[in-house]
Amino acid sequence: MRKERASLAAEIIGEIRRQIPEFSRPLAGQFGAGIQQGVETALEEFADLVEGGGAGATGRTLDEERLRIYRALGRGELTEGRSLDALQAAYRLGARVAWRRYARIARRTGMGADRMVVLAEAIFAHIDEIASASVLGYAEAKADEAGTLSRRRDLLLGLLLSGAGTTAVEQAAAAADWPVPSTVACVALGPAPPTGPGGTPGHVGSAGQGGASGQGRSGAPSAPGAAAGGARGRRTRLPDLVLADLDGPEPYLLVPDPGLYLRDGQVQQVLHERGAVIGPTVPAVLAGDSLRWARAIRACLPEPHPAGPVDCDRCLPELMLLGDRTLVRLIAERRLRPLSALTPKRGERLAATLLAWLQTNRGSAPDVAARLGIHPQTARQRLHQVQRLFGPALADPDARFELEVALRSRLMSSAFAGAPRERA
């Protein structure tokens, strides 16, 4: 590996310049020196790891000098006016090129398949560590630009929602004075309430440290002690550790320890005023998924949105159906075709009967009747009609599964339009 390090570094840099437009310009000056040093340092470090027998080891940390190099690459991306997307793509590409070369070396030396798997895992674990250091460097650079706790919490919020590595999040959280919780829930919000009686917007803001009334985008004070909209337009203050973006086009909260903070009176006020959808409770590293799921459910809610919050933890089957709406529509079109020849009213009745039958584990007429609130004889007659329409499909487990998917998707909108579903 050491003998081929120079040629491998050249190959990696060549591929990065060829495939990633942001790095296609000549690698001159500080920009070029940073890229060259980063690639060579990563290859040298990995060779050291393999030589020491540590390939695949967990819990290993990079030394401070090498961390500085990778953080500098992240800072450099901010200086260049870019996001981290190009650098992350370069890391992934470099890892693939390195793996191809190392795999050839490993085969030449007679390495067995099991050890090659360990080698591959070590390569990609190593690149993940490097990428996390660059994410942290990028975040530090932005924090240095702003120089405020509010901005640092904005950066932390971005890291949490982007799925950054644990080390980067923990260090950014420490800088933002935000203890990382074991679980979080993101909340998708609607627009701010309409103008209040005095003509002052009924805006909901975030709380600062120590109860300061000024606020930044993610919960820290923009000006300690500043008024939050005056006496008549006083903002609702959120708990200090609740992160938020309330002024963007898709406002949201990131709520730590949801079992505690979602019961907070200030948070409850925001949830009820802004048509909230509470995402599933997840580990902090999955915060971005919680927000994505909450927004998916909110996009399906009928207008006007329910007055109270909707809890995604009670809508998990619906979330799964939203994963690929086109596919669900195709399944529904194929499986529910026998209902298309019926009148809408009759079709809805038989669809409800079929779903009740599936959800009662192919229950009897009395079981279906109890679920639908109808007479058993009526249920029996409808079940006979369902049998005539769907026939052999009802005996096929895969077909029954697709039928339930189709029927649930058909009834999804009316389910969301029902009473608000809050956490206990």
Side-chain angles (χ1 to χ4, degrees), residues 56-124:
T58 58
R60 183 181 62 87
T61 57
L62 304 175
D63 67 60
E64 184 57 34
E65 180 60 25
R66 285 165 172 169
L67 277 174
R68 183 191 62 77
I69 293 170
Y70 307 133
R71 285 200 295 264
L73 287 173
R75 285 177 170 271
E77 289 302 282
L78 183 65
T79 302
E80 294 288 329
R82 294 192 292 259
S83 72
L84 280 175
D85 293 346
L87 184 60
Q88 300 282 23
Y91 283 147
R92 292 191 294 269
L93 176 59
R96 292 198 301 272
V97 174
W99 165 238
R100 289 196 296 266
R101 179 74 69 91
Y102 291 155
R104 290 198 295 270
I105 297 171
R107 284 193 293 269
R108 287 203 305 267
T109 60
M111 179 181 283
D114 290 345
R115 298 298 295 164
M116 290 200 46
V117 170
V118 174
L119 178 65
E121 290 175 346
I123 289 171
F124 291 100

Side-chain angles (χ1 to χ4, degrees), residues 13 25-41 69 72-73:
I13 291 172
R25 64 187 173 93
L27 299 183
Q30 187 175 356
F31 170 77
I35 298 296
Q36 186 79 32
Q37 184 182 27
V39 172
E40 291 178 351
T41 299
I69 293 170
L73 287 173

Side-chain angles (χ1 to χ4, degrees), residues 158-375:
L159 288 174
L160 286 165
L161 295 180
S162 67
T166 301
T167 301
V169 168
E170 287 177 348
Q171 294 189 23
D177 193 22
W178 193 80
V180 180
S182 57
T183 58
V184 301
C186 287
V187 182
L189 299 173
T195 301
T200 306
H203 187 84
V204 178
S206 303
Q209 279 190 314
S213 56
Q215 107 292 326
R217 187 183 121 208
S218 59
S222 54
R232 291 188 300 175
R234 192 178 302 260
R235 299 171 185 254
T236 297
R237 299 175 185 174
L238 290 168
D240 181 49
L241 297 183
V242 174
L243 306 182
D245 180 356
L246 299 177
D247 301 318
E250 294 184 283
Y252 62 91
L253 308 177
L254 189 150
V255 181
D257 299 319
L260 173 65
Y261 281 102
L262 284 174
R263 293 190 176 97
D264 180 270
Q266 298 164 320
V267 174
Q268 281 289 313
Q269 181 179 342
V270 176
L271 298 185
H272 282 82
E273 287 179 347
R274 301 192 64 164
V277 175
I278 305 167
T281 295
V282 296
V285 294
L286 297 180
D289 289 322
S290 181
L291 180 59
R292 176 170 57 85
W293 292 326
R295 284 175 171 169
I297 291 293
R298 196 173 195 283
C300 292
L301 290 173
E303 293 287 350
H305 293 315
V310 173
D311 187 346
C312 284
D313 273 336
R314 302 189 182 187
C315 304
L316 296 182
E318 288 84 352
L319 274 171
M320 192 164 58
L321 294 180
L322 291 173
D324 193 330
R325 299 189 198 185
T326 303
L327 178 58
V328 170
R329 282 196 296 269
L330 178 62
I331 291 173
E333 180 181 292
R334 291 178 177 179
R335 286 298 177 187
L336 301 182
R337 190 170 292 139
L339 299 176
S340 61
L342 307 179
T343 63
K345 187 174 182 180
R346 187 181 175 200
E348 289 298 326
R349 286 176 176 173
L350 293 188
T353 302
L354 175 54
L355 183 58
W357 179 75
L358 292 167
Q359 291 179 332
T360 55
N361 194 22
R362 294 177 283 169
S364 63
D367 296 330
V368 172
R371 190 172 186 89
L372 295 177
I374 60 177
H375 194 278

